[in-house]
């Protein structure tokens, strides 16, 4: 109950305080590409329930139809403004809407696409016992996934071999060790990481 209350308070405050930045980003995206401002891909939430995530669009229209879900920094599908937005994680800010709606939490395992969730072992399915979040231990460990995938001839294979195993381990660690204080530590460390960019 406390976690949900914090999510509501901080997502509301965040959306209000950041609204000028969100508006500027939306205008820049619209100026570069007259299509949609948001990317609304399907992600898997708590107990395996699917939902549509809010992210600023950083890739060409129909990018999901011409490539996999793993995106390297040098992916040609990324737009010019998209590169800047992704570098500073501005594309993730609209997920505060998902938090306010109760589909996500500020802190929790990053929501995955169905393809990767279907690969979960019985043990890994425990990740779905909590709401997905905007940030977690895995996000802090690997705050720039695109940089690791950059230059790879097969980003999907690189993701599966170099990123996913540790990401899963850290997500399970979060589920097993969750507490209010753990969430606070993750939030402060996330803010520190963003500022240091």
């Amino acid at each position: 109950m406390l976690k949900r209350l914090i999510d509501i308070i901080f997502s509301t405050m965040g959306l209000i305080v950041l609204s000028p930045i969100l508006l500027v980003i939306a205008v820049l995206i619209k100026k570069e590409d007259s299509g949609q401002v948001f990317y609304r891909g399907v992600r898997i939430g708590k107990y395996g329930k699917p939902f549509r995530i809010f992210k600023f669009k950083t890739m060409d229209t129909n990018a999901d139809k011409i490539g996999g879900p793993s995106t390297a920094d040098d992916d040609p599908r990324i737009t010019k403004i998209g590169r800047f937005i992704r570098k500073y994680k501005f594309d993730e800010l609209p997920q505060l809407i998902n938090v306010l709606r109760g589909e996500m939490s500020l802190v929790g395992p990053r929501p995955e696409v169905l393809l990767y969730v279907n690969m979960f072992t019985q043990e890994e399915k425990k990740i779905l016992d909590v709401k997905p979040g905007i940030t977690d231990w895995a996000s802090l460990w690997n705050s720039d996934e695109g940089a690791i995938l950059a230059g790879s001839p097969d980003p999907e294979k690189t993701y599966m071999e170099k990123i996913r195993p540790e990401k899963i381990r850290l997500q399970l660690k979060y589920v097993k060790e969750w507490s209010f204080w753990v969430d606070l530590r993750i939030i402060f460390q996330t803010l520190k990481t963003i500022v240091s960019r």
Side-chain angles (χ1 to χ4, degrees):
M1 182 63 89
L2 177 60
K3 186 175 174 73
R4 179 61 188 143
L5 182 60
I6 290 170
D7 281 344
I8 292 171
I9 292 171
F10 282 95
S11 61
T12 301
M13 287 174 55
L15 287 167
I16 292 169
V17 172
L18 296 171
S19 58
I21 295 172
L22 299 175
L23 183 60
V24 168
I25 292 172
V27 169
L28 291 173
I29 292 171
K30 200 73 174 172
K31 187 176 179 182
E32 184 176 43
D33 180 350
S34 59
Q36 298 293 319
V37 168
F38 294 116
Y39 167 72
R40 299 295 316 280
V42 176
R43 296 292 184 271
I44 305 303
K46 189 175 182 181
Y47 302 139
K49 183 178 178 181
F51 70 97
R52 288 196 173 274
I53 199 167
F54 279 92
K55 293 182 79 170
F56 276 128
K57 191 178 85 166
T58 61
M59 303 176 82
D60 293 327
T61 304
N62 298 322
D64 55 341
K65 294 180 176 64
I66 57 175
S70 297
T71 310
D73 281 350
D74 56 357
D75 193 310
R77 297 175 296 170
I78 302 174
T79 62
K80 193 178 294 185
I81 186 64
R83 292 191 191 285
F84 173 79
I85 293 170
R86 292 171 77 95
K87 180 179 179 181
Y88 295 99
K89 301 295 182 183
F90 290 144
D91 58 318
E92 310 286 355
L93 293 179
Q95 287 164 48
L96 290 169
I97 299 170
N98 291 114
V99 174
L100 189 58
R101 287 162 53 130
E103 297 158 332
M104 291 177 64
S105 180
L106 292 174
V107 183
R110 291 293 299 154
E112 287 284 19
V113 295
L114 183 60
L115 172 70
Y116 293 143
V117 171
N118 284 340
M119 296 178 188
F120 281 175
T121 63
Q122 202 59 41
E123 171 73 8
E124 291 166 356
K125 286 179 181 176
K126 290 177 182 176
I127 292 169
L128 301 176
D129 288 346
V130 299
K131 280 184 186 176
I134 294 177
T135 185
D136 68 339
W137 290 128
S139 301
L140 290 167
W141 161 71
N142 181 20
S143 62
D144 197 354
E145 186 175 292
I148 294 175
L149 299 176
S152 170
D154 187 347
E156 286 302 311
K157 184 180 179 184
T158 302
Y159 173 82
M160 294 299 293
E161 293 176 352
K162 293 188 175 180
I163 297 174
R164 189 172 184 272
E166 182 64 5
K167 184 177 181 180
I168 291 287
R169 187 189 74 77
L170 290 170
Q171 288 178 338
L172 284 170
K173 169 184 166 70
Y174 173 79
V175 173
K176 292 171 184 174
E177 300 176 0
W178 175 83
S179 73
F180 172 72
W181 300 110
V182 165
D183 276 9
L184 278 184
R185 279 182 62 198
I186 291 172
I187 288 171
F188 283 122
Q189 286 189 37
T190 300
L191 292 173
K192 184 179 176 182
T193 299
I194 292 170
V195 170
S196 69
R197 283 174 179 265

